[in-house]
Structure formats: C-alpha cells, structure tokens
Amino acid sequence: MHSYMRSILRPQTLKSLRYYSTNDVPLTMCTEANGIRRITMNNVKTRNALSMDMMEQLMTDITRDITNKGLRVIIISANGPVFCSGHNLKELVGTHKRAIHAKIFRLCSTLMETIQDIPIPVICQVDSLATAAGCQLVASCDIAVSSQRSTFCTPGVNIGLFCSTPAVALARAVPRKTALDMLFTGRVIDAETAYSQGLVSRLVNHEQLEAETVKIAQTICDRSRSVIAIGKASFYRQVVKDRHSAYMDASNVMVQNMSMKDGKCGIEAFLGKRPPQWTHSMEEV
C-alpha cells in the first residue's frame, strides 16, 4: 500500500486547543478517519467528571470543522472504570459564587444542546457507569450503544443536589415514571433496564461493543450527510411540538427534501436499482 493511502486510512489526531489534567494527561483523545470522529474522555483520575475544562474540551472536539462534508458521525466513549461521573463536585463546592455555579450549569446545558443541534449524528459508546450529568450525556446523544455491564443513575437526591438538568435529557429519553423513579430514589438501573426503557439504543456484550458502534457509524457514513442533517433537525424540532404543528413542520421538510439534489439522486437510484452517488449538499434542483 502506498504511503499516501496509509495516511488517508490511518486515524488522524485532531490538533486544536487541548486541556490537560493535573498530571499532564489530555482530558480527551480525539481522532478522525473515514468520516468518523472519535472522542474519548480520558480523565480516569476524576472518573471523567464534567469539569469546566472537560466540558470546554468536549465542545471543542465536537464542533471543530463541523461543516466539513467529510465528517459524517461522532462517537463519544471513555477510558477507565467509569464512563462519566457527572459534574466535578470539588469544582462546585470550591466556590460559593452563584455566578460561577450558573456558568458551570449553563456550559453543561450548552454542551448537551450542541450535541443535538449539530447536523451530524452523535453516538455514545458506554461500557461502564454513567451517573448524574454522565447519564445526561448518554440521554442527550442521538444514539447510545451500551455493553451489558454498563449501569446508569441520577443520584443527586442522595447528596442534596437534585439532578434537575440531567432530568431534562432523561425525561425526553425514557417514560416519565421511569425518569421520576430514578430522580427521586437515585437508584441504579442496569443496562437491560436502560435498553428496555429507551435510554440506550442497542445492547450488546462487552466484546461486541466496539464492532457494533463502528457498524452503526459506517452505515451512517454510507448515507447522505445533507439528508441526515435536515432529518435530525426536523426530528428534534417536531418532537416538542403538538401533533398538528409537528406534521405541518415535517411536511415542509419532506417537500424541501424532495427538492434537494440528494433527494432526487437517491430516489432515482433506488428506482433504477443502482447505488446512489451522494453530493452531501443542501443544494436544491
């Protein structure tokens, strides 16, 4: 294989502003190859707590070159025995200033909203405990793939800090009774329960987790980026509307989609029994 081809196929480390933990270990590791960006939380010492620095780094990793047509999907995973332990409590109790607390929670909300607002799918790959804002992160991702050994909880009530912001994402991912049970009692649910209640999309054995996540990502890469972009935006917009308004919005999106180059290309290719040649453009014909 030519060196040029090896450079294309080899995952590339994305160079950008990078935050480090106290022992000079990067808070995240970010690579990109073949349309798939992988963001791995890497602050094992704090159990990948969502400190200000961690959230800023995730924002940077997620939004960098987001308009690049070559970027099709993002996978968020974690190193260490805990996927994410939620907010950094030491950071929260380190100040009594309400303005600092407000800044922390606003940044977290912005991070979660950004995941759903960007035009490409974000997949969460979970292989351990996701607690409090960590559970919020799982609930906020478009797709969540979990191993059977993962667990989930929103235990803020146990320490006197109700998981109010995690509740926003949780209530939109699972039935209300399940969400309130988790929020009022702080109980830990296993991966099977998380799957049956809709918190995670797919449940596999630990050994299959990586392969299943990559399979989903590669499938997304084979689709039109522009079609997925308008579909994702439409989904999150209509899901909070009343039924009639949702149908009106979605109907307009279908009309727009029919006018797009990739809409026309995809339908014609299907009818002609040939593979589509996507442009990944929002341009209309």
Side-chain angles (χ1 to χ4, degrees):
M1 182 183 296
H2 293 296
S3 60
Y4 173 72
M5 287 301 297
R6 284 198 296 268
S7 69
I8 292 176
L9 297 176
R10 186 186 306 122
Q12 301 295 312
T13 300
L14 299 184
K15 296 180 180 179
S16 60
L17 175 65
R18 191 147 302 280
Y19 291 88
Y20 290 81
S21 63
T22 53
N23 56 353
D24 293 328
V25 175
L27 294 180
T28 68
M29 297 187 297
C30 189
T31 60
E32 188 172 320
N34 304 317
I36 302 171
R37 178 174 297 172
R38 305 208 59 146
I39 303 170
T40 306
M41 293 183 288
N42 191 48
N43 196 358
V44 177
K45 185 176 181 180
T46 68
R47 303 194 172 197
N48 297 311
L50 294 180
S51 62
M52 288 283 287
D53 284 350
M54 175 65 89
M55 290 188 288
E56 291 279 9
Q57 186 62 65
L58 286 171
M59 283 288 293
T60 298
D61 291 342
I62 290 169
T63 60
R64 184 179 185 275
D65 294 334
I66 198 63
T67 59
N68 180 3
K69 288 183 183 180
L71 176 61
R72 307 291 176 75
V73 63
I74 293 173
I75 299 173
I76 299 177
S77 59
N79 287 331
V82 174
F83 173 77
C84 179
S85 60
H87 284 289
N88 188 316
L89 294 179
K90 290 183 179 179
E91 188 175 67
L92 286 173
V93 301
T95 178
H96 296 293
K97 294 182 179 179
R98 291 173 66 100
I100 300 299
H101 291 159
K103 184 177 181 181
I104 292 171
F105 292 119
R106 277 199 304 268
L107 177 57
C108 184
S109 297
T110 299
L111 171 62
M112 304 301 168
E113 289 191 286
T114 297
I115 288 171
Q116 296 183 353
D117 288 345
I118 61 174
I120 61 172
V122 179
I123 303 172
C124 191
Q125 179 179 313
V126 192
D127 195 30
S128 51
L129 172 65
T131 178
C135 186
Q136 179 184 3
L137 179 58
V138 175
S140 297
C141 287
D142 304 311
I143 298 173
V145 188
S146 171
S147 72
Q148 291 182 325
R149 67 185 190 183
S150 299
T151 52
F152 308 85
C153 61
T154 50
V157 67
N158 297 338
I159 62 170
L161 183 63
F162 196 84
C163 285
S164 297
T165 45
V168 175
L170 188 65
R172 285 161 171 76
V174 302
R176 182 176 300 183
K177 295 294 191 292
T178 300
L180 290 173
D181 184 358
M182 294 176 66
L183 291 162
F184 289 163
T185 68
R187 79 181 181 103
V188 179
I189 63 171
D190 58 26
E192 285 78 6
T193 302
Y195 176 65
S196 69
Q197 296 299 301
L199 181 57
V200 300
S201 314
R202 302 194 190 186
L203 180 62
V204 295
N205 293 327
H206 163 71
E207 295 79 13
Q208 300 172 309
L209 181 60
E210 174 68 15
E212 185 69 15
T213 305
V214 170
K215 183 174 75 171
I216 296 171
Q218 290 176 336
T219 300
I220 291 170
C221 288
D222 290 339
R223 307 301 186 251
S224 165
R225 175 186 160 112
S226 55
V227 170
I228 285 180
I230 66 165
K232 176 176 174 176
S234 172
F235 176 84
Y236 284 115
R237 196 168 56 244
Q238 64 81 24
V239 77
V240 295
K241 294 177 180 285
D242 64 86
R243 184 180 61 189
H244 177 73
S245 299
Y247 269 122
M248 292 301 99
D249 191 331
S251 295
N252 290 333
V253 172
M254 294 289 286
V255 172
Q256 178 190 0
N257 198 164
M258 284 291 297
S259 301
M260 291 168 53
K261 282 187 174 181
D262 278 0
K264 183 174 183 294
C265 163
I267 294 173
E268 289 180 350
F270 175 77
L271 295 176
K273 297 182 179 180
R274 63 178 186 274
Q277 299 296 317
W278 304 121
T279 68
H280 305 291
S281 169
M282 297 295 293
E283 190 175 345
E284 297 183 3
V285 293

